[in-house]
Short mmCIF file of all heavy atoms in Angstrom, two decimals:
data_model
loop_
_atom_site.label_atom_id
_atom_site.label_comp_id
_atom_site.label_asym_id
_atom_site.label_seq_id
_atom_site.Cartn_x
_atom_site.Cartn_y
_atom_site.Cartn_z
N ARG A 77 105.77 92.15 105.87
CA ARG A 77 106.11 90.79 106.28
C ARG A 77 105.82 89.83 105.13
O ARG A 77 104.94 90.07 104.31
CB ARG A 77 105.39 90.36 107.54
CG ARG A 77 103.90 90.12 107.39
CD ARG A 77 103.28 89.64 108.70
NE ARG A 77 101.83 89.63 108.61
CZ ARG A 77 101.08 88.58 108.82
NH1 ARG A 77 101.61 87.42 109.16
NH2 ARG A 77 99.76 88.66 108.71
N VAL A 79 104.70 85.98 104.33
CA VAL A 79 104.02 84.86 104.97
C VAL A 79 104.12 83.64 104.07
O VAL A 79 103.66 83.67 102.92
CB VAL A 79 102.52 85.20 105.22
CG1 VAL A 79 101.83 84.04 105.90
CG2 VAL A 79 102.39 86.48 106.03
N VAL A 86 95.19 79.78 104.66
CA VAL A 86 94.55 81.05 105.00
C VAL A 86 95.56 81.94 105.71
O VAL A 86 96.31 81.47 106.57
CB VAL A 86 93.32 80.83 105.92
CG1 VAL A 86 92.70 82.15 106.32
CG2 VAL A 86 92.30 79.92 105.24
N ILE A 87 95.56 83.22 105.35
CA ILE A 87 96.39 84.23 106.00
C ILE A 87 95.48 85.31 106.55
O ILE A 87 94.61 85.81 105.83
CB ILE A 87 97.38 84.87 105.00
CG1 ILE A 87 98.35 83.84 104.45
CG2 ILE A 87 98.11 86.04 105.64
CD1 ILE A 87 99.19 84.36 103.30
N ALA A 88 95.67 85.68 107.80
CA ALA A 88 94.93 86.80 108.39
C ALA A 88 95.87 88.00 108.46
O ALA A 88 96.96 87.90 109.02
CB ALA A 88 94.42 86.43 109.77
N ILE A 89 95.44 89.11 107.88
CA ILE A 89 96.23 90.34 107.94
C ILE A 89 96.04 90.96 109.32
O ILE A 89 94.93 91.03 109.84
CB ILE A 89 95.82 91.31 106.83
CG1 ILE A 89 96.25 90.73 105.47
CG2 ILE A 89 96.42 92.68 107.05
CD1 ILE A 89 96.00 91.63 104.31
N ASN A 90 97.13 91.41 109.91
CA ASN A 90 97.11 92.04 111.23
C ASN A 90 96.94 93.55 111.10
O ASN A 90 97.23 94.13 110.06
CB ASN A 90 98.42 91.76 111.97
CG ASN A 90 98.68 90.29 112.15
OD1 ASN A 90 97.76 89.54 112.44
ND2 ASN A 90 99.91 89.87 111.97
N ASP A 91 96.52 94.17 112.19
CA ASP A 91 96.40 95.63 112.22
C ASP A 91 97.73 96.33 111.99
O ASP A 91 97.78 97.46 111.54
CB ASP A 91 95.81 96.10 113.56
CG ASP A 91 94.35 95.74 113.69
OD1 ASP A 91 93.67 95.58 112.68
OD2 ASP A 91 93.89 95.61 114.84
N THR A 92 98.82 95.66 112.33
CA THR A 92 100.15 96.27 112.20
C THR A 92 100.76 96.07 110.81
O THR A 92 101.81 96.63 110.52
CB THR A 92 101.12 95.70 113.25
OG1 THR A 92 101.18 94.28 113.10
CG2 THR A 92 100.66 96.06 114.66
N ASP A 93 100.12 95.29 109.96
CA ASP A 93 100.64 95.06 108.60
C ASP A 93 100.37 96.27 107.71
O ASP A 93 99.37 96.95 107.85
CB ASP A 93 99.97 93.84 107.95
CG ASP A 93 100.40 92.53 108.57
OD1 ASP A 93 101.55 92.44 109.01
OD2 ASP A 93 99.57 91.61 108.62
N ASN A 94 101.27 96.52 106.79
CA ASN A 94 101.04 97.44 105.69
C ASN A 94 101.21 96.70 104.37
O ASN A 94 100.40 96.83 103.47
CB ASN A 94 102.00 98.63 105.72
CG ASN A 94 101.87 99.47 106.96
OD1 ASN A 94 102.76 99.49 107.79
ND2 ASN A 94 100.74 100.14 107.11
N VAL A 95 102.30 95.94 104.28
CA VAL A 95 102.61 95.17 103.08
C VAL A 95 102.67 93.70 103.48
O VAL A 95 103.37 93.33 104.42
CB VAL A 95 103.97 95.60 102.49
CG1 VAL A 95 104.32 94.77 101.27
CG2 VAL A 95 103.97 97.09 102.16
N VAL A 96 101.91 92.86 102.76
CA VAL A 96 101.93 91.42 103.02
C VAL A 96 102.35 90.72 101.73
O VAL A 96 101.65 90.80 100.72
CB VAL A 96 100.56 90.90 103.50
CG1 VAL A 96 100.59 89.39 103.68
CG2 VAL A 96 100.15 91.59 104.79
N ASN A 97 103.49 90.07 101.78
CA ASN A 97 104.01 89.28 100.66
C ASN A 97 103.58 87.84 100.87
O ASN A 97 104.00 87.21 101.85
CB ASN A 97 105.53 89.39 100.60
CG ASN A 97 105.99 90.79 100.34
OD1 ASN A 97 105.70 91.36 99.29
ND2 ASN A 97 106.69 91.38 101.30
N VAL A 98 102.73 87.34 99.99
CA VAL A 98 102.19 85.99 100.11
C VAL A 98 103.12 85.04 99.35
O VAL A 98 103.24 85.13 98.13
CB VAL A 98 100.75 85.91 99.56
CG1 VAL A 98 100.21 84.49 99.67
CG2 VAL A 98 99.85 86.91 100.28
N SER A 108 93.50 82.01 100.80
CA SER A 108 92.60 83.07 101.26
C SER A 108 93.37 84.06 102.11
O SER A 108 94.15 83.66 102.98
CB SER A 108 91.45 82.49 102.09
OG SER A 108 90.63 81.69 101.28
N VAL A 109 93.15 85.34 101.85
CA VAL A 109 93.73 86.40 102.67
C VAL A 109 92.57 87.16 103.30
O VAL A 109 91.70 87.69 102.59
CB VAL A 109 94.61 87.36 101.83
CG1 VAL A 109 95.08 88.54 102.68
CG2 VAL A 109 95.80 86.62 101.24
N LEU A 110 92.53 87.17 104.64
CA LEU A 110 91.45 87.80 105.37
C LEU A 110 91.87 89.18 105.85
O LEU A 110 92.86 89.32 106.59
CB LEU A 110 91.05 86.94 106.57
CG LEU A 110 90.73 85.47 106.26
CD1 LEU A 110 90.42 84.72 107.55
CD2 LEU A 110 89.59 85.36 105.27
N LEU A 111 91.13 90.21 105.43
CA LEU A 111 91.40 91.57 105.86
C LEU A 111 90.90 91.76 107.29
O LEU A 111 89.98 91.07 107.72
CB LEU A 111 90.71 92.56 104.91
CG LEU A 111 91.22 92.51 103.47
CD1 LEU A 111 90.27 93.27 102.55
CD2 LEU A 111 92.62 93.08 103.38
N PRO A 112 91.47 92.70 108.04
CA PRO A 112 91.03 92.94 109.42
C PRO A 112 89.56 93.34 109.50
O PRO A 112 89.02 93.97 108.58
CB PRO A 112 91.91 94.10 109.89
CG PRO A 112 93.09 94.06 109.00
CD PRO A 112 92.60 93.55 107.68
N ASN A 113 88.91 92.99 110.61
CA ASN A 113 87.48 93.27 110.78
C ASN A 113 87.15 94.73 110.98
O ASN A 113 86.19 95.23 110.44
CB ASN A 113 86.91 92.45 111.94
CG ASN A 113 86.71 91.01 111.55
OD1 ASN A 113 86.47 90.69 110.39
ND2 ASN A 113 86.83 90.13 112.52
N PRO A 115 89.27 97.93 110.74
CA PRO A 115 90.40 98.84 110.58
C PRO A 115 89.95 100.29 110.72
O PRO A 115 88.76 100.59 110.61
CB PRO A 115 90.88 98.57 109.16
CG PRO A 115 89.65 98.09 108.45
CD PRO A 115 88.85 97.34 109.48
N THR A 119 92.86 103.16 106.39
CA THR A 119 93.91 102.15 106.49
C THR A 119 94.15 101.53 105.11
O THR A 119 93.22 101.22 104.39
CB THR A 119 93.51 101.05 107.49
OG1 THR A 119 93.33 101.64 108.77
CG2 THR A 119 94.56 99.97 107.58
N VAL A 120 95.42 101.39 104.76
CA VAL A 120 95.83 100.88 103.45
C VAL A 120 96.61 99.58 103.62
O VAL A 120 97.46 99.48 104.50
CB VAL A 120 96.70 101.93 102.71
CG1 VAL A 120 97.24 101.38 101.41
CG2 VAL A 120 95.91 103.20 102.48
N TYR A 121 96.30 98.61 102.77
CA TYR A 121 97.04 97.35 102.74
C TYR A 121 97.47 97.05 101.31
O TYR A 121 96.71 97.26 100.36
CB TYR A 121 96.18 96.17 103.25
CG TYR A 121 95.85 96.30 104.70
CD1 TYR A 121 94.57 96.65 105.11
CD2 TYR A 121 96.82 96.09 105.68
CE1 TYR A 121 94.26 96.78 106.44
CE2 TYR A 121 96.51 96.22 107.02
CZ TYR A 121 95.23 96.57 107.39
OH TYR A 121 94.93 96.71 108.71
N TYR A 122 98.70 96.57 101.18
CA TYR A 122 99.27 96.17 99.90
C TYR A 122 99.55 94.68 100.00
O TYR A 122 100.26 94.24 100.90
CB TYR A 122 100.56 96.97 99.68
CG TYR A 122 101.22 96.74 98.34
CD1 TYR A 122 100.75 97.37 97.20
CD2 TYR A 122 102.34 95.93 98.23
CE1 TYR A 122 101.36 97.19 95.98
CE2 TYR A 122 102.95 95.74 97.01
CZ TYR A 122 102.46 96.37 95.89
OH TYR A 122 103.07 96.19 94.68
N ILE A 123 98.95 93.89 99.11
CA ILE A 123 99.10 92.43 99.12
C ILE A 123 99.76 92.01 97.82
O ILE A 123 99.33 92.41 96.73
CB ILE A 123 97.72 91.76 99.29
CG1 ILE A 123 97.06 92.24 100.59
CG2 ILE A 123 97.86 90.24 99.28
CD1 ILE A 123 95.58 91.98 100.67
N LYS A 124 100.80 91.18 97.92
CA LYS A 124 101.63 90.83 96.76
C LYS A 124 101.82 89.32 96.68
O LYS A 124 102.02 88.65 97.69
CB LYS A 124 102.99 91.52 96.94
CG LYS A 124 104.10 91.04 96.05
CD LYS A 124 104.11 91.77 94.76
CE LYS A 124 105.32 91.37 93.93
NZ LYS A 124 105.07 91.44 92.53
N ILE A 137 91.09 87.48 98.25
CA ILE A 137 91.06 88.45 99.34
C ILE A 137 89.62 88.64 99.78
O ILE A 137 88.74 88.88 98.96
CB ILE A 137 91.70 89.77 98.88
CG1 ILE A 137 93.14 89.49 98.46
CG2 ILE A 137 91.62 90.82 99.97
CD1 ILE A 137 93.72 90.51 97.53
N LYS A 138 89.41 88.52 101.10
CA LYS A 138 88.07 88.62 101.67
C LYS A 138 88.09 89.67 102.77
O LYS A 138 89.03 89.73 103.56
CB LYS A 138 87.63 87.28 102.27
CG LYS A 138 87.64 86.14 101.27
CD LYS A 138 87.35 84.81 101.94
CE LYS A 138 87.42 83.69 100.93
NZ LYS A 138 87.14 82.38 101.54
N ILE A 158 97.84 93.99 94.85
CA ILE A 158 96.65 94.81 94.98
C ILE A 158 96.87 95.78 96.14
O ILE A 158 97.48 95.43 97.15
CB ILE A 158 95.39 93.95 95.20
CG1 ILE A 158 94.13 94.81 95.15
CG2 ILE A 158 95.48 93.15 96.48
CD1 ILE A 158 92.84 93.99 95.07
N LEU A 160 94.68 98.25 98.64
CA LEU A 160 93.31 98.47 99.11
C LEU A 160 93.28 99.54 100.21
O LEU A 160 94.23 99.65 100.99
CB LEU A 160 92.75 97.18 99.72
CG LEU A 160 92.67 95.97 98.80
CD1 LEU A 160 92.55 94.70 99.62
CD2 LEU A 160 91.49 96.11 97.87
N TRP A 167 85.80 98.41 101.19
CA TRP A 167 87.17 98.49 100.69
C TRP A 167 87.16 99.04 99.27
O TRP A 167 86.31 98.66 98.47
CB TRP A 167 87.81 97.10 100.69
CG TRP A 167 88.02 96.55 102.07
CD1 TRP A 167 87.18 95.72 102.74
CD2 TRP A 167 89.10 96.82 102.94
NE1 TRP A 167 87.69 95.44 103.98
CE2 TRP A 167 88.87 96.10 104.13
CE3 TRP A 167 90.26 97.58 102.84
CZ2 TRP A 167 89.75 96.12 105.21
CZ3 TRP A 167 91.14 97.61 103.90
CH2 TRP A 167 90.87 96.89 105.06
#
Side-chain angles (χ1 to χ4, degrees):
R77 71 177 170 124
V79 181
V86 177
I87 297 170
I89 291 184
N90 301 319
D91 289 335
T92 57
D93 289 327
N94 298 112
V95 178
V96 177
N97 297 297
V98 179
S108 294
V109 174
L110 307 177
L111 297 167
N113 284 331
T119 299
V120 175
Y121 294 106
Y122 184 79
I123 302 163
K124 166 88 174 149
I137 301 158
K138 302 174 182 180
I158 188 168
L160 300 161
W167 293 95

